[in-house]
Amino acid sequence: MKIVVQVKLLPTPEQAAALAATLHTCNAAANYASGVAFREFGLKARQVPLHRAVYAELRSRGLGAQAAVRAIKKVVDAYATLRAAISAGRLGKEGSPRRAKAESKSVTFRSNAAHAYDDRILSWRYDARTVSIWTVHGRLKGVAFTGSAMQLKTLAEHRRGESDLLVRDGMWFLVATCEIPETQPYEPRDWVGVDRGIVNLATTSDGTNYQGRGLERYRRRMARVRAELQAKGTRSAKRKLKKRARREARHATHVNHAIAKSVVADAERTGRGIALEDLQGIRDRTRVPRHQRATHSSWPFHQLGQHLTYKALRAGVPMVTVDAHYTSQTCPRCGHVSRKNRPTRDTFCCVVCGLAGPADHIAAVNVRTRARVAWVFVNMPHAAVSPSSRQGLS
């Protein structure tokens, strides 16, 4: 299982200037390579043909041999990502303005966009907490870095592959890829059903709600601030909007991490697995009132699922996804399904047997029930069929 560990670099002013010049040079070279790729190969850029077309020019622009290879790979990966997005329909149908715009020009990179380093141009000294890194002004040795104890331990034991150099708000970071061995999942005694929602970000079948009025107030306050800054429309307001967006993203990531950590710890402690609803394409399948659209789209629910998945894999906690349809309209006691079972957003009351309770809790219980059935079906031994039986069946 691959995860990333981000550590903060502590360069001197001279080292920071060299790193900044390196990012600018590498991204300018990548933009040149991207332009050549678009002219020569369209969106079908490949590593070897593009390498032959631009390698010499990139070397003449001040890039080292391996840095030039990384810049070419960066361009090829960008076009591969664009092709995948078009193929999956994420940029609209053929002929749509968004897709036409993406297909009509080359991929471009910001001057301070992240750049990948491999072990030939970046080496780590874990004991000394320093790195030796290639720059356009020569190799920098002894660049200090720092991080939490857990990050440093994971980095020293499991780092594999590339690391990305990036700058954010004047601070320098290295994002390293780590290969974590997965723990063998145990046989679950039962399941913890998890229902994800807007008001309650997550509700478990045990009745635990992960939300809080403070979080809702925070989201409303951020929406008001965004509206005020967007109304101004000045350059300063736009800069503040970008800064505010990054702050909100960090806050959402922190909250999702905390929720996932708590759910996984509870499942591991009790020997149970975790069951989630399959929300793939939920925004395309559901329609919400106009005044709720911003709220519906303002929280990274997919990220919460990703955090739950990788934390469960690390802890060896089994996970299963189940069908999300009608989980909040189905009575877990008598099985009756009806919209009338949910008179309001927050409440559930079965019109047949009278079972009542919080709607999100009922949905989580139904997720748990479906997980029990799904797990039994997945682990059911397949009956051997003899050739004569096959003939009889045919």
Side-chain angles (χ1 to χ4, degrees):
M1 176 181 63
K2 290 185 178 181
I3 65 170
V4 295
V5 172
Q6 177 179 279
V7 295
K8 184 178 180 180
L9 291 178
L10 304 173
T12 64
E14 294 77 13
Q15 292 172 338
L19 293 175
T22 300
L23 278 190
H24 293 164
T25 302
C26 289
N27 285 300
N31 283 328
Y32 167 77
S34 178
V36 173
F38 186 74
R39 291 194 303 271
E40 299 291 334
F41 314 107
L43 301 183
K44 299 180 180 179
R46 295 291 187 270
Q47 181 80 18
V48 175
L50 184 59
H51 181 99
R52 292 171 179 167
V54 302
Y55 178 76
E57 176 63 24
L58 298 191
R59 290 299 309 275
S60 69
R61 289 171 174 251
L63 270 65
Q66 199 61 22
V69 172
R70 291 295 94 201
I72 295 169
K73 184 66 165 57
K74 177 179 179 178
V75 173
V76 172
D77 289 345
Y79 279 102
T81 301
L82 178 58
R83 291 197 302 272
I86 292 174
S87 177
R90 291 194 291 271
L91 297 180
K93 298 180 181 179
E94 186 175 359
S96 65
R98 187 181 178 192
R99 178 170 172 176
K101 181 179 180 180
E103 294 175 334
S104 64
K105 61 180 182 179
S106 62
V107 175
T108 57
F109 304 92
R110 293 178 290 104
S111 62
N112 61 345
H115 189 70
Y117 280 75
D118 59 23
D119 289 342
R120 295 186 180 183
I121 49 180
L122 173 67
S123 57
W124 297 78
R125 303 289 184 268
Y126 303 113
D127 294 337
R129 295 188 185 179
T130 61
V131 294
S132 173
I133 185 170
W134 173 87
T135 70
V136 291
H137 296 328
R139 188 127 184 156
L140 298 181
K141 298 182 179 180
V143 181
F145 68 86
T146 187
S148 69
M150 185 176 67
Q151 286 176 318
L152 298 176
K153 184 175 184 294
T154 302
L155 188 69
E157 295 178 355
H158 304 294
R159 189 194 65 81
R160 299 288 186 277
E162 296 180 351
S163 303
D164 290 341
L165 173 69
L166 60 93
V167 60
R168 186 189 307 124
D169 296 331
M171 297 179 289
W172 291 91
F173 300 92
L174 279 173
V175 181
T177 304
C178 296
E179 188 75 31
I180 305 293
E182 296 181 8
T183 304
Q184 186 65 26
Y186 52 77
E187 183 66 24
R189 298 170 52 191
D190 199 2
W191 296 90
V192 178
V194 180
D195 174 71
R196 287 170 285 176
I198 296 176
V199 177
N200 299 322
L201 298 180
T203 303
T204 70
S205 54
D206 297 335
T208 305
N209 289 333
Y210 296 95
Q211 45 97 33
R213 296 179 180 176
L215 178 59
E216 185 63 26
R217 287 196 297 268
Y218 172 83
R219 294 165 69 180
R220 289 199 298 265
R221 186 172 72 253
M222 292 300 102
R224 288 196 299 270
V225 172
R226 283 197 303 271
E228 293 173 0
L229 292 174
Q230 288 168 349
K232 291 183 178 179
T234 62
R235 289 186 178 181
S236 175
K238 292 178 180 179
R239 286 196 300 268
K240 290 181 179 179
L241 274 172
K242 291 181 179 180
K243 188 174 182 179
R244 183 74 59 173
R246 292 194 295 268
R247 179 186 297 179
E248 290 185 54
R250 290 194 300 270
H251 181 73
T253 301
H254 169 73
V255 172
N256 284 339
H257 268 299
I259 293 174
K261 182 178 180 180
S262 177
V263 173
V264 171
D266 186 51
E268 183 181 16
R269 177 178 54 82
T270 56
R272 294 179 292 174
I274 297 175
L276 290 177
E277 296 172 299
D278 183 5
L279 299 181
Q280 186 72 25
I282 187 66
R283 286 190 171 94
D284 298 328
R285 297 198 307 267
T286 59
R287 295 182 180 275
V288 295
R290 184 181 182 88
H291 68 278
Q292 292 183 351
R293 290 175 186 172
T295 304
H296 187 253
S297 303
S298 65
W299 194 263
F301 298 103
H302 178 65
Q303 184 192 69
L304 176 57
Q306 289 180 317
H307 290 347
L308 282 166
T309 300
Y310 95 81
K311 290 180 187 294
L313 284 174
R314 291 190 68 175
V317 176
M319 281 201 64
V320 66
T321 56
V322 300
D323 185 15
H325 288 84
Y326 308 113
T327 53
S328 61
Q329 299 177 15
T330 302
C331 178
R333 184 161 66 188
C334 69
H336 179 67
V337 183
S338 174
R339 287 187 177 182
K340 297 179 181 179
N341 286 349
R342 194 174 179 181
T344 66
R345 200 224 72 86
D346 295 325
T347 59
F348 177 94
C349 184
C350 181
V351 296
V352 174
C353 69
L355 178 68
D360 292 338
H361 182 210
I362 295 295
V365 171
N366 285 324
V367 171
R368 181 187 63 187
T369 303
R370 293 182 183 184
R372 291 169 177 170
V373 176
W375 188 255
V376 170
F377 179 78
V378 167
N379 291 276
M380 183 183 299
H382 296 283
V385 180
S386 64
S388 59
S389 300
R390 293 194 187 95
Q391 293 175 1
L393 290 173
S394 61

